[in-house]
Amino acid sequence: MLFLRFDDRTQAIEDATKALAMRPLRAEGHVARGCLYMYSIGSEPDEEDDGRIKAMKSFDQALELEPHCIAALHYRADMLAREPTLWIDALIAYDKAIRTHGEDRRNPLLGILLAARASILVNFAQHEAISDAERAVQLAPREPIAYIVLGDILDHSREYERAAEMFGKA
């Protein structure tokens, strides 16, 4: 129901909150509501900070219920990564998520986490960013985002031919 009403974010958030009232111990519900708050940031004047706070609170509630919830770990880190002043906090959050899910080397979600971390690392640790992005492509070869992130990083490194190749694979 949430996604059917996504064009009306306020109603979608209300629906998610009602669903959580019926099943408050489901981490997925808190993640879904957090995403709705996250995607509504900036849609209403003066609600940007309120949306950020509510999104982070929802992701934190999901992690209280399920500390290894990969979606909550990812979206929480993604919220931090949106602010350059919080990049270090975002890297710490991604490191935690990667360590939590790093034992299953075949998990494509690990690739997505590595790609997300790489997109932050490119700002100050380019070699590590390339390494993460290349691992992301290996772990998640069917995920276009892995190729796009690697292409962006290679382009930033002036490796234009390899960048074009990655964009072509995306």
Side-chain angles (χ1 to χ4, degrees), residues 11 16 21 31-32 37 39 47 56-57 60 70 74 85 87 110 117 127 138 142-143 150 156 158-159 163 169:
Q11 185 62 50
V31 171
Y37 281 128
Y39 294 131
E47 290 188 7
M56 290 298 278
K57 183 177 178 184
D60 288 341
I70 195 163
H74 169 65
T85 58
W87 281 347
L110 178 59
R117 183 173 72 179
H127 181 62
Q138 290 172 351
R142 294 185 176 161
E143 296 293 335
L150 180 54
H156 189 73
R158 295 190 167 120
E159 294 185 42
K169 289 182 178 183

Side-chain angles (χ1 to χ4, degrees), residues 19-170:
L20 278 169
M22 292 185 280
R23 298 185 87 177
L25 300 179
R26 298 282 311 253
E28 299 87 5
H30 292 281
V31 171
R33 184 174 63 180
C35 287
L36 290 167
Y37 281 128
M38 185 172 78
Y39 294 131
S40 68
I41 292 172
S43 64
E44 298 291 326
D46 301 324
E47 290 188 7
E48 189 163 327
D49 287 338
D50 189 46
R52 283 192 207 313
I53 292 166
K54 289 179 177 178
M56 290 298 278
K57 183 177 178 184
S58 289
F59 299 138
D60 288 341
Q61 289 170 325
L63 289 168
E64 285 176 21
L65 294 169
E66 191 180 324
H68 299 294
C69 178
I70 195 163
L73 289 166
H74 169 65
Y75 287 120
R76 187 179 191 293
D78 183 59
M79 288 294 298
L80 294 170
R82 292 168 185 249
E83 291 292 325
T85 58
L86 298 176
W87 281 347
I88 298 301
D89 293 334
L91 286 174
I92 291 167
Y94 276 120
D95 285 344
K96 177 183 177 185
I98 289 165
R99 275 194 315 277
T100 300
H101 294 281
E103 299 194 15
D104 183 0
R105 299 284 182 209
R106 296 164 295 161
N107 185 348
L109 294 176
L110 178 59
I112 293 168
L113 291 172
L114 286 165
R117 183 173 72 179
S119 67
I120 300 168
L121 282 172
V122 72
N123 296 295
F124 48 86
Q126 215 160 12
H127 181 62
E128 289 179 46
I130 290 172
S131 177
D132 272 6
E134 287 173 340
R135 276 189 58 214
V137 166
Q138 290 172 351
L139 291 167
R142 294 185 176 161
E143 296 293 335
I145 191 65
Y147 294 98
I148 291 168
V149 169
L150 180 54
D152 282 342
I153 293 168
L154 291 170
D155 184 65
H156 189 73
S157 301
R158 295 190 167 120
E159 294 185 42
Y160 302 120
E161 286 183 29
R162 281 188 64 205
E165 178 186 345
M166 292 304 117
F167 291 134
K169 289 182 178 183

